[in-house]
Amino acid sequence: MKPVDFDANVLTPHMARILEARDMTAQERFFRLQLPRPLNHRPGQFVMASIPGIGEAPISISCGPRDDDQLELLVRNTGSLTRTMHQLQAGDAMGIRGPFGSGFELTEFEGHDVIFVAGGLGLAPLRSLIEPVVGDPQRFGRATLISGCRTPADELYREQMQAWAKLPNTRIIRLVNDTAHLPWNGEVGLVTAPIAKLEMDVPNTLAVLCGPPVMYKFVIMALAARGLPSAQIFIDLERRMRCGIGKCGHCQINHVTCCQEGPVFRFSDLESLPEALT
Amino acid sequence: MREFLATRTAVLDWLRTLGQQGDVFFPQPMGENSFNFDKVRKNSLLAFEDFDAGSKDKPFRASTCVQPPGKRLSPNNEQIFRFSKNGNGEYQLTPTLDERERILAGVRPCDLKAIHLMDRVNSDGIPDAHYLSRRQNTAIIAHDCLQPCDEHCFCDATDSLHWRQGADVFLTPQPEAQLLMEALTECGEQLLSAAGFPPCDDIEKRRALAEEKRAKPFGRHFDAPLQQVIDAVSNSWESPVWDKHVERCFACGTCNLVCPTCYCFDLQDDFNIGDPDSGQRTRSWDGCMLEEFAVVAGGHNFRPQLAARQRHRIKRKLAYLPARFGDGSFCVGCGRCGHQCTVDIDIFDIANDLLAATEAKP
């Protein structure tokens, strides 16, 4: 019988070394990893991150494409695996499989103004696209980031957002739902509010959304009210993903496999998928 | 490819001999009315139904096994890799690939088609090495059905009854307790040649004999041709039919468990008891009817309603996966889900109801 001559390691992670680990908020911990080989990822892709013996979970890649063999992840403490990950320190090991998913095609953004709308942890995956876009003003148009979170204590990548704000052709709008009596130099309100008054060259604008499911409906309504067609809106969807290779079935949205065709979708492609924005 | 003719007894003896030499799986009685696709051992009760047997003979030898044969290619609690950690905190991960040779014998056309569909799924995009290594080391000896296995069968309605692709050897019942044995692949040819069976020199006549004997109509049929069923299921999103059948469903997942084209899984990590520096990751079967199937971290459930989960299951079989793979229905009509369902929910009835609801629309 025929020998098997393919890479058997697709469900077996490579072990990465943690170079840097620090709490960004009470809930989120930032990791910079040294991989055994370059990941060659695209913005918007994800990896399956694990601790052998504890478990595995899909984690969005939060850094832009890079030439070296490093990777940045932001992990929210939501369960037994991520709780254990929050105890990991520099020098510890983490299992990584991937990159998986289609991600963003950077060439589609060339010459366009881009509006990023991030809700909470949604900023982490969007950062993988924001970095290359704000870093190359010759290649891309004006970048606008609208980032919202619950309170000032929940804000992610604060210093980086302040650095981005100083770049040419870049607008950063930071919001909280509630200042919670903490010092705050941004705005107060929902991410939908700034969209109504945003200076916008509609035909040349692309919007990219990532946040909790409840955010999408209202942000899309706000963008539609400004006349932005659904083909110019990209959405990063969250689903349960166990394998990353389109086999385990958990992430299926109607006939689409989120880990393969997604998790980034053009909104116009989601209109035929009634399960997409539930 | 060559054809042979032998008595049923000779073929069963041959399977028993093969079972002594390696892993051979064959349908074996489990309780009074059902069969289990189990390993052939020295004292195994092996049998095929007679050419003249009717499906009212109980237990009928052509009855489907409760678990489909294809599940042997993606077993529950399958080890994916082993790991160990040394004193410096460095991990060693070793993927587990099952490359043992095995034979699945007595596989019926519906299950053969299901294995073909699972081959497609597991080769699609990024291939699943664990399934494929097992598959590539597996020979299949399939057996034709001249009578429907039971009242749940609707394999002819889903284009499975005449399926042969994927079989290495194909057996067809013949009069006088004989079996026509056709090699369909090199591997099948080698298996049969090594056995020394007498050649068959009137193959066309033998095939015609079996065709003449085959029950007509064969099993249950939808109220319309298969393509119309697929269209009706594909075009039904909001339909009262989705609420009708699910009313009595317990969401137990039995339909997922016995379906030959349900392949969803979960992954689970474990430490070895007594050595917390080593362990393994295994995958276990999962089912889209179960409540937690689409729950993400933080607790949001993308398919909380039972009716939405049933719609998803039915659409996977008769709409989503047929559209994705272009290989016809992913329901192979084996009848297991309806047969094993504790409250008699049957995909066949759901499909017919959707068909009727679609036709009733102006």
Side-chain angles (χ1 to χ4, degrees):
Chain A
M1 289 177 200
K2 283 174 287 177
V4 180
D5 59 350
F6 36 74
D7 180 11
N9 293 332
V10 112
L11 288 177
T12 301
H14 294 280
M15 296 310 293
R17 183 69 47 194
I18 298 173
L19 296 173
E20 184 188 349
R22 61 183 160 83
D23 287 339
M24 200 174 268
T25 68
Q27 279 195 97
E28 280 95 8
R29 190 164 173 81
F30 170 86
F31 294 99
R32 194 158 51 83
L33 305 172
Q34 173 76 52
L35 302 165
R37 61 181 187 191
L39 199 62
N40 296 322
H41 72 276
R42 286 148 53 116
Q45 287 192 299
F46 68 97
V47 292
M48 297 299 296
S50 63
I51 303 174
I54 306 290
E56 187 176 55
I59 306 286
S60 300
I61 296 170
S62 70
C63 56
R66 44 199 304 166
D67 301 326
D68 61 8
D69 42 10
Q70 293 190 9
L71 168 68
E72 291 176 10
L73 303 176
L74 192 60
V75 177
R76 175 175 281 180
N77 181 352
T78 57
S80 61
L81 170 69
T82 48
R83 189 167 59 237
T84 311
M85 281 183 173
H86 272 231
Q87 292 161 15
L88 295 178
Q89 306 288 341
D92 288 341
M94 190 188 286
I96 297 290
R97 297 195 286 124
F100 297 122
S102 55
F104 296 102
E105 185 65 73
L106 267 179
T107 52
E108 288 187 84
F109 291 84
E110 281 173 3
H112 286 89
D113 294 347
V114 188
I115 299 172
F116 299 94
V117 185
L121 190 54
L123 183 57
L126 282 191
R127 182 173 172 257
S128 70
L129 182 61
I130 298 169
E131 275 193 341
V133 169
V134 301
D136 196 346
Q138 305 294 318
R139 189 177 170 198
F140 304 98
R142 166 140 71 159
T144 305
L145 167 63
I146 304 170
S147 172
C149 56
R150 272 176 309 204
T151 74
D154 301 311
E155 192 174 40
L156 303 167
Y157 295 109
R158 177 174 296 151
E159 284 161 26
Q160 180 143 42
M161 281 197 280
Q162 285 165 350
W164 286 338
K166 294 185 183 118
L167 295 173
N169 238 359
T170 304
R171 283 182 296 199
I172 308 291
I173 303 167
R174 297 158 51 233
L175 301 104
V176 289
N177 293 359
D178 180 353
T179 59
H181 308 293
L182 294 165
W184 176 245
N185 58 1
E187 298 179 24
V188 178
L190 300 173
V191 290
T192 44
I195 295 171
K197 50 184 195 281
L198 207 62
E199 190 191 317
M200 204 190 287
D201 173 16
V202 171
N204 190 40
T205 295
L206 298 174
V208 188
L209 283 46
C210 188
V214 65
M215 183 191 97
Y216 291 131
K217 189 178 155 193
F218 295 102
V219 172
I220 288 164
M221 278 165 58
L223 290 170
R226 295 297 308 274
L228 197 68
S230 59
Q232 290 170 230
I233 302 174
F234 292 86
I235 299 185
D236 192 345
L237 294 182
E238 182 191 16
R239 283 297 184 278
R240 186 185 184 108
M241 291 168 184
R242 304 300 286 131
C243 72
I245 61 171
K247 307 288 188 279
C248 82
H250 288 93
C251 72
Q252 196 171 326
I253 304 168
N254 296 104
H255 63 276
V256 158
T257 309
C258 191
C259 74
Q260 299 282 100
E261 283 90 353
V264 173
F265 294 92
R266 207 182 272 271
F267 179 52
S268 49
D269 293 335
L270 292 181
E271 288 167 325
S272 61
L273 304 179
E275 285 187 327
L277 295 181
T278 53
Chain B
M1 293 293 164
R2 292 196 291 165
E3 299 89 19
F4 304 85
L5 190 69
T7 63
R8 273 207 310 273
T9 315
V11 175
L12 292 169
D13 285 346
W14 171 59
L15 291 177
R16 216 173 265 114
T17 308
L18 290 172
Q20 300 289 307
Q21 295 160 2
D23 284 351
V24 177
F25 296 87
F26 192 86
Q28 297 177 52
M30 181 177 73
E32 285 192 8
N33 281 315
S34 54
F35 292 84
N36 186 24
F37 201 73
D38 212 350
K39 203 163 164 172
V40 172
R41 295 185 176 83
K42 222 174 192 172
N43 302 322
S44 294
L45 282 166
L46 309 184
F48 286 117
E49 72 271 21
D50 190 72
F51 182 74
D52 293 310
S55 59
K56 301 226 162 24
D57 299 343
K58 291 284 178 184
F60 182 48
R61 270 285 166 182
S63 292
T64 53
C65 298
V66 175
Q67 287 285 344
K71 299 280 186 200
R72 290 284 170 188
L73 300 170
S74 46
N76 199 12
N77 300 321
E78 170 189 18
Q79 190 176 85
I80 298 298
F81 65 81
R82 286 175 286 119
F83 72 88
S84 60
K85 191 162 98 171
N86 67 18
N88 298 327
E90 287 160 352
Y91 287 91
Q92 169 102 32
L93 270 54
T94 314
T96 316
L97 283 183
D98 183 350
E99 291 169 313
R100 286 173 298 177
E101 293 193 352
R102 82 201 70 211
I103 296 173
L104 306 183
V107 175
R108 302 291 168 157
C110 58
D111 291 331
L112 188 62
K113 185 185 179 192
I115 291 172
H116 163 77
L117 294 173
M118 293 307 95
D119 292 349
R120 290 290 313 275
V121 165
N122 286 291
S123 317
D124 181 48
I126 303 171
D128 187 316
H130 300 272
Y131 174 91
L132 292 176
S133 68
R134 213 176 263 111
R135 176 68 181 97
Q136 293 186 2
N137 287 293
T138 299
I140 298 179
I141 300 173
H143 187 288
D144 206 355
C145 291
L146 302 186
Q147 300 293 331
C149 49
D150 58 35
E151 62 278 17
H152 292 93
C153 162
F154 58 104
C155 62
D156 198 20
T158 56
D159 290 346
S160 309
L161 175 58
H162 300 283
W163 196 269
R164 292 192 168 207
Q165 192 181 338
D168 296 289
V169 173
F170 199 86
L171 308 177
T172 309
Q174 293 292 309
E176 294 161 1
Q178 289 187 307
L179 279 168
L180 170 63
M181 314 173 79
E182 297 177 66
L184 302 185
T185 63
E186 282 297 329
C187 162
E189 180 102 27
Q190 279 171 23
L191 273 171
L192 288 180
S193 302
F197 291 116
C200 172
D201 47 20
D202 52 355
I203 174 79
E204 293 307 327
K205 192 185 123 200
R206 293 281 170 184
R207 282 184 184 145
L209 261 180
E211 210 44 63
E212 198 178 305
K213 187 75 185 177
R214 200 189 301 276
K216 292 174 199 68
F218 195 97
R220 298 185 290 173
H221 279 265
F222 293 123
D223 298 335
L226 180 59
Q227 190 54 52
Q228 279 182 46
V229 175
I230 289 177
D231 291 344
V233 176
S234 303
N235 298 326
S236 300
W237 184 251
E238 303 279 354
S239 169
V241 175
W242 299 125
D243 296 314
K244 175 184 164 188
H245 294 265
V246 90
E247 259 183 4
R248 53 188 199 276
C249 176
F250 297 131
C252 67
T254 297
C255 47
N256 294 133
L257 201 62
V258 298
C259 176
T261 63
C262 269
Y263 56 87
C264 292
F265 62 82
D266 204 355
L267 291 164
Q268 168 80 37
D269 281 33
D270 292 296
F271 293 109
N272 289 328
I273 294 174
D275 180 12
D277 286 333
S278 71
Q280 58 272 314
R281 182 166 298 164
T282 51
R283 70 169 147 195
S284 50
W285 299 336
D286 207 343
C288 60
M289 288 304 292
L290 302 176
E291 184 158 11
E292 271 132 57
F293 188 76
V295 174
V296 291
H300 186 81
N301 189 350
F302 284 97
R303 227 173 272 118
Q305 306 88 356
L306 194 45
R309 297 203 296 279
Q310 188 187 66
R311 176 176 60 195
H312 184 71
R313 187 176 85 81
I314 306 299
K315 277 182 165 275
R316 259 174 79 95
K317 303 299 164 192
L318 288 164
Y320 299 154
L321 296 175
R324 187 177 186 94
F325 289 95
D327 218 343
S329 170
F330 264 64
C331 171
V332 295
C334 68
R336 283 184 180 90
C337 58
H339 189 173
Q340 300 301 335
C341 178
T342 42
V343 290
D344 292 328
I345 298 170
D346 194 331
I347 188 172
F348 179 86
D349 298 331
I350 298 172
N352 266 340
D353 282 357
L354 289 169
L355 201 55
T358 307
E359 280 166 1
K361 276 186 202 157

